[in-house]
Amino acid sequence: MRVGVVLLPEFRWPVAEPLWRRAEELGFASAWTYDHMSWRSFRDSTWMAAVPTLTAAACVTDRIRLGTLVASPNFRHPATFAKDLVALDDVSGGRVTVGLGAGATSFDATVLGTPPLPPRERADRFAEFVEALDRFLTEPASSYRGKHFAGEEVRTYPGCVQQPRLPFAVAATGPRGMQLAARHGQAWVTYGDPKRAAEMTPAECEATVREQGRRLDEAMQAQGRDPASIDRILLTGSTPERPLASLEAFRDLAGRYAALGMTDLALHWPRPDEPYAGDLRVLEQVAGALPDLAAGRF
C-alpha cells in the first residue's frame, strides 16, 4: 500500500514550500491539494489556486507524485484545464495525477454567477468534463461539443510527458461515476458515503467502501478492463475515524483497507485545529512505517 498526504493550499508560498519539501523527504508516495476557489471556513482566509501551487511544488521536489484531490467542473473548462495540465506535467517531469470529481453545491458552484445544478445535471456535466478532458489531453488538436462544454480545434501541443496522457483519479460513488472511472480512470477515489461521512462508524465506512469496490469491479469488467488494473485511493479525514490519532490507529486502518483492495491512502497534513487537526509527530511515525506498508506488513 502507498501513502500520500493532502496539503491544504492555505499558506503563502514561503510557508507552504517547506511542507511540500518535507512530504518528499519523509518518503510519501504522493502529495495532493484541493482545487477550489474557496472552501468552507477558509472562504475569507488565505486560499491559493491549485495549479500554480502544484507547479511551484514540482519545482522544489524531484520524486513525489503531485495532484489535485479533486478538481471539478464547477468553475473549470476542460479546454483551458487541459492546457494547464500539459504545462504542469511538463514542469513536473511527468509526476502529475489529476484527481477529478463532479463538484458539490458549495461556493465553487455559484462563483461564476450561475445557479448550482441538481445532482442529475451535475453528473451529466461531469461526464462531459471527463470525456472532453480525455480527448484534449490525448489528441493535440481536437474538438468537442456537448450540452455543458464545447471546444473548437483545441490545441495542446506538445502533449503530456506521460503518454497517452497524465493519469486520471476519478472520485465516484454512484453508478455513473463508477462507469466514468472504469472508462477513463487510472485510479478511483472514495471516502465512503458522501451523504453520511461525518456520522459513519468505521464498520459502516468499511462496508460502504467494500460495496463501492464491488460495483467498480463490475464497471471495469463491463469496459473489458481488469479490475486489478485501476488504483484505489481512500481519502481519509471526512469520517469520525482518525488514522493520525496514533501510529497504531494508522496501522489498523491501513490493514483494514488493504484487505478491501485499496492501494493508496491519502492523509491530511496535520493542522493545529479543525479541520484535520493532528500531531505532526504521528505523521512522522507513519513515514517511518512506510517500508513496512509497502511490503504489506501492517
Side-chain angles (χ1 to χ4, degrees):
M1 175 173 277
R2 295 176 294 263
V3 181
V5 291
V6 181
L7 294 98
L8 301 188
E10 59 177 312
F11 301 118
R12 293 179 181 271
W13 188 242
V15 177
E17 178 189 5
L19 303 182
W20 291 89
R21 288 182 184 272
R22 185 60 175 152
E24 179 166 86
E25 291 168 357
L26 287 171
F28 289 105
S30 55
W32 311 80
T33 199
Y34 286 4
D35 186 30
H36 295 290
M37 293 289 286
S38 58
W39 187 70
R40 296 187 185 179
S41 59
F42 294 88
R43 187 173 187 178
D44 297 316
S45 303
T46 301
W47 189 266
M48 298 300 190
V51 171
T53 294
L54 291 170
T55 304
C59 292
V60 299
T61 58
D62 299 305
R63 173 198 57 79
I64 197 168
R65 288 201 68 82
L66 305 167
T68 56
L69 208 63
V70 293
S72 85
N74 265 351
F75 64 93
R76 291 204 174 276
H77 190 284
T80 54
F81 195 35
K83 197 73 173 179
D84 286 345
L85 291 172
V86 167
L88 178 56
D89 200 44
D90 183 68
V91 171
S92 71
R95 290 187 286 128
V96 173
T97 297
V98 57
L100 302 169
T105 56
S106 57
F107 306 134
D108 294 345
T110 57
V111 71
L112 298 184
T114 56
L117 298 176
R120 183 180 294 276
E121 287 194 58
R122 284 208 311 275
D124 292 341
R125 183 183 63 175
F126 185 42
E128 286 190 13
F129 183 73
V130 175
E131 290 164 1
L133 192 63
D134 175 74
R135 182 176 301 177
F136 296 153
L137 288 170
T138 53
E139 301 175 18
S142 59
S143 299
Y144 180 90
R145 185 161 295 278
K147 176 182 176 182
H148 297 276
F149 296 107
E152 295 295 332
E153 297 187 17
V154 176
R155 297 297 198 269
T156 53
Y157 293 105
C160 296
V161 172
Q162 302 172 87
Q163 287 293 310
R165 59 157 168 77
L166 52 76
F168 288 0
V170 180
T173 57
R176 294 189 63 189
M178 293 294 186
Q179 292 168 11
L180 275 178
R183 187 178 308 120
H184 296 289
Q186 286 65 57
W188 163 63
V189 183
T190 186
Y191 59 86
D193 184 345
K195 296 179 180 179
R196 298 186 58 244
E199 62 189 49
M200 296 182 79
T201 66
E204 288 174 329
C205 193
E206 283 181 55
T208 298
V209 172
R210 180 183 294 108
E211 174 60 19
Q212 290 172 347
R214 184 191 65 78
R215 288 190 275 113
L216 178 65
D217 290 346
E218 292 178 349
M220 291 286 288
Q221 290 165 351
Q223 291 293 322
R225 295 181 62 188
D226 180 356
S229 68
I230 190 169
D231 290 337
R232 300 167 188 240
I233 303 170
L234 179 73
L235 176 60
T236 68
S238 296
T239 69
E241 192 164 19
R242 292 291 176 260
L244 291 182
S246 66
L247 178 58
E248 292 72 23
F250 170 77
R251 284 185 178 274
D252 176 66
L253 181 139
R256 287 186 280 116
Y257 281 97
L260 295 183
M262 304 306 289
T263 61
D264 295 77
L265 293 179
L267 305 169
H268 287 87
W269 193 271
R271 303 182 65 256
D273 49 30
E274 295 295 346
Y276 316 124
D279 189 336
L280 181 59
R281 291 172 297 181
V282 176
L283 185 72
E284 292 171 341
Q285 292 171 359
V286 168
L290 291 177
D292 284 345
L293 268 67
R297 297 188 296 270
F298 300 98

